[in-house]
Amino acid sequence: MEHYKVGEIAEKIGINVETLRYYEKIKIMPKPKRRESRYRFYDELDLRRLLFIKRAKELGFTLKEIKELLNLKIESTATCGDIKHLAEHKLTDIEERIKDLKNIKNVLIKLINQCVCEEVSTEDCPILEVIEQKIK
Amino acid sequence: MEHYKVGEIAEKIGINVETLRYYEKIKIMPKPKRRESRYRFYDELDLRRLLFIKRAKELGFTLKEIKELLNLKIESTATCGDIKHLAEHKLTDIEERIKDLKNIKNVLIKLINQCVCEEVSTEDCPILEVIEQKIK
DNA sequence: ATAATATCAGTAGTATAGTACGGAGTCAAG
DNA sequence: CTTGACTCCGTACTATACTACTGATATTAT
């Protein structure tokens, strides 16, 4: 079985050595085995776990949620449905964020379109006016 | 002219007193006038500034960006175009975030649809399999 | 007048996800 | 056998946006 030093596995995954130590600290990665020199050494399982973390992060899961996923994975009582619930929850969450951002986007577009004035002073800027409008 | 104590203005805006002191610390709000008792007191201008901040935050601007907006606003040399550029930059930023989230959403939907198994153990969970798939 | 509430200043803590630093020990190449 | 690269650990710092706490004044209500 292949094994890697901390710098090697970090490079393979494309993360920082410090980040790996951080993952160990927050217990999303288990304490790795050590050589006599006290150097950490990692195996294929660690590699897979790190890649799982990376992929799940790309899916918008937080480290805390990824930890949950990984824990469910090793709990023998956990079902695939448990995982599905986490995924569904995350989906709702992301849909919510998309909705919010779209609203923001529309307001910004309206604001920007009202502005045709490179030379006008900020005194008469329609963007600022609109941001303030809701205030008056 | 109306004036408010820190707790009054905080309640009016719907923020925390501590948050107001924080805004003062990071210089997004100016140092307010004081009574003899050293109590802060705020006026209508402060109220408007706070509401501007609140509204801009809703538009997805960070406090740092809002500070920029407010600074441009008082710089007499700044043009409406300067404001527009900030708004456009924010728009690009938000469109980017929407795109990313949509990708994530699609992957999550695919994952969830593959899972029809409330009772299956996490060993055979297709969601976990897919997250891992890109690894193998 | 006294009790309750508000405010003061400064510091520390929260959450998220890391990054940086420094001095000591270890490993590999020339 | 020395030099440079790598790793060790612990701590502190970054960024963002707040929130909490403490002990001392100040104001307000009864």
Side-chain angles (χ1 to χ4, degrees), chain A residues 75-104:
Chain A
E75 266 176 46
S76 53
T77 58
T79 66
C80 170
D82 294 329
I83 302 283
K84 191 179 176 183
H85 289 322
L86 281 180
E88 279 167 347
H89 186 266
K90 179 50 60 178
L91 179 61
T92 317
D93 184 61
I94 281 170
E95 279 170 342
E96 190 68 22
R97 272 153 70 189
I98 291 172
K99 215 184 72 197
D100 288 347
L101 286 176
K102 277 187 177 168
N103 282 334
I104 290 168

mmCIF file of all heavy atoms in Angstrom, chain A residues 75-104:
data_model
loop_
_atom_site.group_PDB
_atom_site.id
_atom_site.type_symbol
_atom_site.label_atom_id
_atom_site.label_comp_id
_atom_site.label_asym_id
_atom_site.label_seq_id
_atom_site.Cartn_x
_atom_site.Cartn_y
_atom_site.Cartn_z
ATOM 1 N N GLU A 75 -21.079 4.916 10.769
ATOM 2 C CA GLU A 75 -22.071 4.358 11.677
ATOM 3 C C GLU A 75 -22.831 3.253 10.966
ATOM 4 O O GLU A 75 -23.485 3.502 9.957
ATOM 5 C CB GLU A 75 -23.109 5.431 12.045
ATOM 6 C CG GLU A 75 -22.816 6.188 13.314
ATOM 7 C CD GLU A 75 -23.841 7.276 13.529
ATOM 8 O OE1 GLU A 75 -25.036 7.001 13.384
ATOM 9 O OE2 GLU A 75 -23.425 8.421 13.798
ATOM 10 N N SER A 76 -22.791 2.059 11.513
ATOM 11 C CA SER A 76 -23.446 0.957 10.789
ATOM 12 C C SER A 76 -24.965 1.071 10.835
ATOM 13 O O SER A 76 -25.666 0.535 10.001
ATOM 14 C CB SER A 76 -22.992 -0.389 11.351
ATOM 15 O OG SER A 76 -23.184 -0.398 12.744
ATOM 16 N N THR A 77 -25.471 1.822 11.835
ATOM 17 C CA THR A 77 -26.921 1.960 11.947
ATOM 18 C C THR A 77 -27.487 2.992 10.971
ATOM 19 O O THR A 77 -28.680 3.023 10.722
ATOM 20 C CB THR A 77 -27.319 2.380 13.376
ATOM 21 O OG1 THR A 77 -26.658 3.604 13.677
ATOM 22 C CG2 THR A 77 -26.919 1.332 14.390
ATOM 23 N N ALA A 78 -26.619 3.857 10.462
ATOM 24 C CA ALA A 78 -27.083 4.897 9.555
ATOM 25 C C ALA A 78 -27.529 4.300 8.228
ATOM 26 O O ALA A 78 -26.946 3.337 7.738
ATOM 27 C CB ALA A 78 -25.981 5.913 9.322
ATOM 28 N N THR A 79 -28.577 4.884 7.673
ATOM 29 C CA THR A 79 -29.050 4.386 6.383
ATOM 30 C C THR A 79 -28.716 5.391 5.295
ATOM 31 O O THR A 79 -28.392 6.535 5.558
ATOM 32 C CB THR A 79 -30.578 4.207 6.388
ATOM 33 O OG1 THR A 79 -31.186 5.490 6.520
ATOM 34 C CG2 THR A 79 -31.024 3.302 7.515
ATOM 35 N N CYS A 80 -28.836 4.906 4.095
ATOM 36 C CA CYS A 80 -28.679 5.754 2.930
ATOM 37 C C CYS A 80 -29.655 6.917 2.997
ATOM 38 O O CYS A 80 -29.363 8.020 2.553
ATOM 39 C CB CYS A 80 -28.910 4.901 1.709
ATOM 40 S SG CYS A 80 -29.023 5.809 0.208
ATOM 41 N N GLY A 81 -30.835 6.661 3.601
ATOM 42 C CA GLY A 81 -31.824 7.723 3.756
ATOM 43 C C GLY A 81 -31.307 8.881 4.593
ATOM 44 O O GLY A 81 -31.622 10.037 4.338
ATOM 45 N N ASP A 82 -30.493 8.570 5.598
ATOM 46 C CA ASP A 82 -29.901 9.619 6.432
ATOM 47 C C ASP A 82 -29.032 10.546 5.585
ATOM 48 O O ASP A 82 -29.059 11.766 5.735
ATOM 49 C CB ASP A 82 -29.046 8.995 7.543
ATOM 50 C CG ASP A 82 -29.894 8.196 8.538
ATOM 51 O OD1 ASP A 82 -31.063 8.578 8.746
ATOM 52 O OD2 ASP A 82 -29.386 7.208 9.083
ATOM 53 N N ILE A 83 -28.291 9.934 4.731
ATOM 54 C CA ILE A 83 -27.431 10.698 3.827
ATOM 55 C C ILE A 83 -28.292 11.558 2.904
ATOM 56 O O ILE A 83 -28.024 12.733 2.681
ATOM 57 C CB ILE A 83 -26.563 9.744 2.965
ATOM 58 C CG1 ILE A 83 -25.704 8.832 3.840
ATOM 59 C CG2 ILE A 83 -25.717 10.536 1.978
ATOM 60 C CD1 ILE A 83 -24.492 9.447 4.437
ATOM 61 N N LYS A 84 -29.350 10.919 2.402
ATOM 62 C CA LYS A 84 -30.246 11.620 1.490
ATOM 63 C C LYS A 84 -30.833 12.859 2.160
ATOM 64 O O LYS A 84 -30.938 13.917 1.545
ATOM 65 C CB LYS A 84 -31.373 10.676 1.067
ATOM 66 C CG LYS A 84 -32.212 11.198 -0.082
ATOM 67 C CD LYS A 84 -33.304 10.207 -0.459
ATOM 68 C CE LYS A 84 -34.204 10.751 -1.549
ATOM 69 N NZ LYS A 84 -35.295 9.822 -1.873
ATOM 70 N N HIS A 85 -31.197 12.730 3.424
ATOM 71 C CA HIS A 85 -31.758 13.870 4.143
ATOM 72 C C HIS A 85 -30.767 15.026 4.214
ATOM 73 O O HIS A 85 -31.133 16.181 4.009
ATOM 74 C CB HIS A 85 -32.196 13.461 5.552
ATOM 75 C CG HIS A 85 -33.413 12.597 5.558
ATOM 76 N ND1 HIS A 85 -34.468 12.808 4.682
ATOM 77 C CD2 HIS A 85 -33.749 11.518 6.290
ATOM 78 C CE1 HIS A 85 -35.387 11.877 4.892
ATOM 79 N NE2 HIS A 85 -34.976 11.078 5.856
ATOM 80 N N LEU A 86 -29.538 14.693 4.483
ATOM 81 C CA LEU A 86 -28.513 15.740 4.520
ATOM 82 C C LEU A 86 -28.394 16.429 3.160
ATOM 83 O O LEU A 86 -28.307 17.643 3.066
ATOM 84 C CB LEU A 86 -27.152 15.157 4.918
ATOM 85 C CG LEU A 86 -26.920 14.890 6.401
ATOM 86 C CD1 LEU A 86 -25.525 14.327 6.617
ATOM 87 C CD2 LEU A 86 -27.090 16.168 7.204
ATOM 88 N N ALA A 87 -28.423 15.616 2.122
ATOM 89 C CA ALA A 87 -28.296 16.157 0.769
ATOM 90 C C ALA A 87 -29.496 17.033 0.424
ATOM 91 O O ALA A 87 -29.356 18.096 -0.172
ATOM 92 C CB ALA A 87 -28.150 15.017 -0.237
ATOM 93 N N GLU A 88 -30.678 16.587 0.848
ATOM 94 C CA GLU A 88 -31.895 17.359 0.566
ATOM 95 C C GLU A 88 -31.886 18.682 1.319
ATOM 96 O O GLU A 88 -32.288 19.718 0.792
ATOM 97 C CB GLU A 88 -33.136 16.548 0.944
ATOM 98 C CG GLU A 88 -33.508 15.538 -0.122
ATOM 99 C CD GLU A 88 -34.527 14.513 0.355
ATOM 100 O OE1 GLU A 88 -34.770 14.433 1.577
ATOM 101 O OE2 GLU A 88 -35.044 13.788 -0.501
ATOM 102 N N HIS A 89 -31.427 18.604 2.533
ATOM 103 C CA HIS A 89 -31.337 19.815 3.341
ATOM 104 C C HIS A 89 -30.398 20.821 2.683
ATOM 105 O O HIS A 89 -30.696 22.011 2.577
ATOM 106 C CB HIS A 89 -30.859 19.458 4.740
ATOM 107 C CG HIS A 89 -30.876 20.619 5.669
ATOM 108 N ND1 HIS A 89 -29.776 21.414 5.891
ATOM 109 C CD2 HIS A 89 -31.878 21.140 6.411
ATOM 110 C CE1 HIS A 89 -30.108 22.371 6.749
ATOM 111 N NE2 HIS A 89 -31.367 22.223 7.082
ATOM 112 N N LYS A 90 -29.289 20.295 2.228
ATOM 113 C CA LYS A 90 -28.314 21.154 1.552
ATOM 114 C C LYS A 90 -28.894 21.735 0.268
ATOM 115 O O LYS A 90 -28.667 22.893 -0.074
ATOM 116 C CB LYS A 90 -27.059 20.329 1.281
ATOM 117 C CG LYS A 90 -25.918 21.010 0.570
ATOM 118 C CD LYS A 90 -25.513 22.346 1.156
ATOM 119 C CE LYS A 90 -25.066 22.244 2.592
ATOM 120 N NZ LYS A 90 -24.635 23.577 3.119
ATOM 121 N N LEU A 91 -29.692 20.930 -0.411
ATOM 122 C CA LEU A 91 -30.322 21.394 -1.663
ATOM 123 C C LEU A 91 -31.257 22.582 -1.384
ATOM 124 O O LEU A 91 -31.202 23.600 -2.081
ATOM 125 C CB LEU A 91 -31.095 20.256 -2.318
ATOM 126 C CG LEU A 91 -31.819 20.607 -3.625
ATOM 127 C CD1 LEU A 91 -30.848 21.065 -4.698
ATOM 128 C CD2 LEU A 91 -32.645 19.423 -4.129
ATOM 129 N N THR A 92 -32.095 22.435 -0.383
ATOM 130 C CA THR A 92 -33.012 23.523 -0.007
ATOM 131 C C THR A 92 -32.231 24.790 0.287
ATOM 132 O O THR A 92 -32.560 25.884 -0.169
ATOM 133 C CB THR A 92 -33.788 23.138 1.268
ATOM 134 O OG1 THR A 92 -34.198 21.788 1.158
ATOM 135 C CG2 THR A 92 -34.993 24.031 1.457
ATOM 136 N N ASP A 93 -31.201 24.591 1.064
ATOM 137 C CA ASP A 93 -30.312 25.663 1.461
ATOM 138 C C ASP A 93 -29.736 26.403 0.251
ATOM 139 O O ASP A 93 -29.752 27.626 0.168
ATOM 140 C CB ASP A 93 -29.199 24.984 2.263
ATOM 141 C CG ASP A 93 -28.221 25.946 2.854
ATOM 142 O OD1 ASP A 93 -28.658 26.771 3.665
ATOM 143 O OD2 ASP A 93 -27.027 25.873 2.496
ATOM 144 N N ILE A 94 -29.286 25.623 -0.705
ATOM 145 C CA ILE A 94 -28.658 26.207 -1.891
ATOM 146 C C ILE A 94 -29.696 26.885 -2.775
ATOM 147 O O ILE A 94 -29.448 27.959 -3.333
ATOM 148 C CB ILE A 94 -27.828 25.136 -2.633
ATOM 149 C CG1 ILE A 94 -26.500 24.986 -1.876
ATOM 150 C CG2 ILE A 94 -27.599 25.501 -4.085
ATOM 151 C CD1 ILE A 94 -25.661 23.841 -2.287
ATOM 152 N N GLU A 95 -30.880 26.298 -2.850
ATOM 153 C CA GLU A 95 -31.954 26.922 -3.630
ATOM 154 C C GLU A 95 -32.335 28.266 -3.030
ATOM 155 O O GLU A 95 -32.591 29.234 -3.749
ATOM 156 C CB GLU A 95 -33.174 25.991 -3.693
ATOM 157 C CG GLU A 95 -32.998 24.921 -4.754
ATOM 158 C CD GLU A 95 -34.056 23.833 -4.691
ATOM 159 O OE1 GLU A 95 -34.726 23.702 -3.650
ATOM 160 O OE2 GLU A 95 -34.182 23.106 -5.696
ATOM 161 N N GLU A 96 -32.355 28.297 -1.718
ATOM 162 C CA GLU A 96 -32.630 29.545 -0.990
ATOM 163 C C GLU A 96 -31.596 30.610 -1.340
ATOM 164 O O GLU A 96 -31.931 31.753 -1.645
ATOM 165 C CB GLU A 96 -32.599 29.215 0.507
ATOM 166 C CG GLU A 96 -33.086 30.307 1.417
ATOM 167 C CD GLU A 96 -34.579 30.563 1.258
ATOM 168 O OE1 GLU A 96 -35.313 29.665 0.781
ATOM 169 O OE2 GLU A 96 -34.992 31.669 1.599
ATOM 170 N N ARG A 97 -30.363 30.195 -1.313
ATOM 171 C CA ARG A 97 -29.280 31.144 -1.609
ATOM 172 C C ARG A 97 -29.364 31.646 -3.041
ATOM 173 O O ARG A 97 -29.125 32.832 -3.309
ATOM 174 C CB ARG A 97 -27.927 30.489 -1.333
ATOM 175 C CG ARG A 97 -27.489 30.657 0.125
ATOM 176 C CD ARG A 97 -26.576 29.558 0.594
ATOM 177 N NE ARG A 97 -25.253 29.599 0.002
ATOM 178 C CZ ARG A 97 -24.342 28.636 0.146
ATOM 179 N NH1 ARG A 97 -24.622 27.568 0.872
ATOM 180 N NH2 ARG A 97 -23.172 28.730 -0.423
ATOM 181 N N ILE A 98 -29.710 30.758 -3.957
ATOM 182 C CA ILE A 98 -29.848 31.167 -5.367
ATOM 183 C C ILE A 98 -30.966 32.204 -5.491
ATOM 184 O O ILE A 98 -30.810 33.226 -6.162
ATOM 185 C CB ILE A 98 -30.124 29.951 -6.273
ATOM 186 C CG1 ILE A 98 -28.884 29.058 -6.364
ATOM 187 C CG2 ILE A 98 -30.539 30.405 -7.673
ATOM 188 C CD1 ILE A 98 -29.099 27.730 -7.081
ATOM 189 N N LYS A 99 -32.064 31.928 -4.810
ATOM 190 C CA LYS A 99 -33.209 32.851 -4.863
ATOM 191 C C LYS A 99 -32.806 34.242 -4.363
ATOM 192 O O LYS A 99 -33.078 35.253 -5.024
ATOM 193 C CB LYS A 99 -34.351 32.290 -4.009
ATOM 194 C CG LYS A 99 -35.734 32.565 -4.542
ATOM 195 C CD LYS A 99 -36.805 32.052 -3.576
ATOM 196 C CE LYS A 99 -36.893 32.903 -2.332
ATOM 197 N NZ LYS A 99 -37.594 32.253 -1.209
ATOM 198 N N ASP A 100 -32.155 34.250 -3.225
ATOM 199 C CA ASP A 100 -31.714 35.532 -2.653
ATOM 200 C C ASP A 100 -30.795 36.272 -3.613
ATOM 201 O O ASP A 100 -30.944 37.469 -3.843
ATOM 202 C CB ASP A 100 -30.966 35.295 -1.329
ATOM 203 C CG ASP A 100 -31.906 34.870 -0.212
ATOM 204 O OD1 ASP A 100 -33.133 34.998 -0.386
ATOM 205 O OD2 ASP A 100 -31.406 34.394 0.825
ATOM 206 N N LEU A 101 -29.848 35.539 -4.150
ATOM 207 C CA LEU A 101 -28.880 36.175 -5.036
ATOM 208 C C LEU A 101 -29.549 36.703 -6.301
ATOM 209 O O LEU A 101 -29.186 37.748 -6.817
ATOM 210 C CB LEU A 101 -27.756 35.203 -5.395
ATOM 211 C CG LEU A 101 -26.751 34.933 -4.285
ATOM 212 C CD1 LEU A 101 -25.741 33.879 -4.713
ATOM 213 C CD2 LEU A 101 -26.019 36.207 -3.885
ATOM 214 N N LYS A 102 -30.561 35.989 -6.785
ATOM 215 C CA LYS A 102 -31.271 36.446 -7.984
ATOM 216 C C LYS A 102 -32.010 37.746 -7.717
ATOM 217 O O LYS A 102 -32.048 38.631 -8.577
ATOM 218 C CB LYS A 102 -32.254 35.376 -8.453
ATOM 219 C CG LYS A 102 -31.586 34.315 -9.307
ATOM 220 C CD LYS A 102 -32.622 33.379 -9.890
ATOM 221 C CE LYS A 102 -31.973 32.355 -10.801
ATOM 222 N NZ LYS A 102 -32.916 31.271 -11.136
ATOM 223 N N ASN A 103 -32.601 37.845 -6.557
ATOM 224 C CA ASN A 103 -33.263 39.103 -6.184
ATOM 225 C C ASN A 103 -32.268 40.243 -6.164
ATOM 226 O O ASN A 103 -32.504 41.308 -6.726
ATOM 227 C CB ASN A 103 -33.899 38.979 -4.793
ATOM 228 C CG ASN A 103 -35.194 38.204 -4.843
ATOM 229 O OD1 ASN A 103 -35.865 38.169 -5.876
ATOM 230 N ND2 ASN A 103 -35.546 37.579 -3.738
ATOM 231 N N ILE A 104 -31.162 39.989 -5.518
ATOM 232 C CA ILE A 104 -30.099 40.993 -5.439
ATOM 233 C C ILE A 104 -29.657 41.389 -6.844
ATOM 234 O O ILE A 104 -29.522 42.563 -7.167
ATOM 235 C CB ILE A 104 -28.909 40.430 -4.634
ATOM 236 C CG1 ILE A 104 -29.297 40.310 -3.158
ATOM 237 C CG2 ILE A 104 -27.680 41.292 -4.803
ATOM 238 C CD1 ILE A 104 -28.321 39.504 -2.330
#
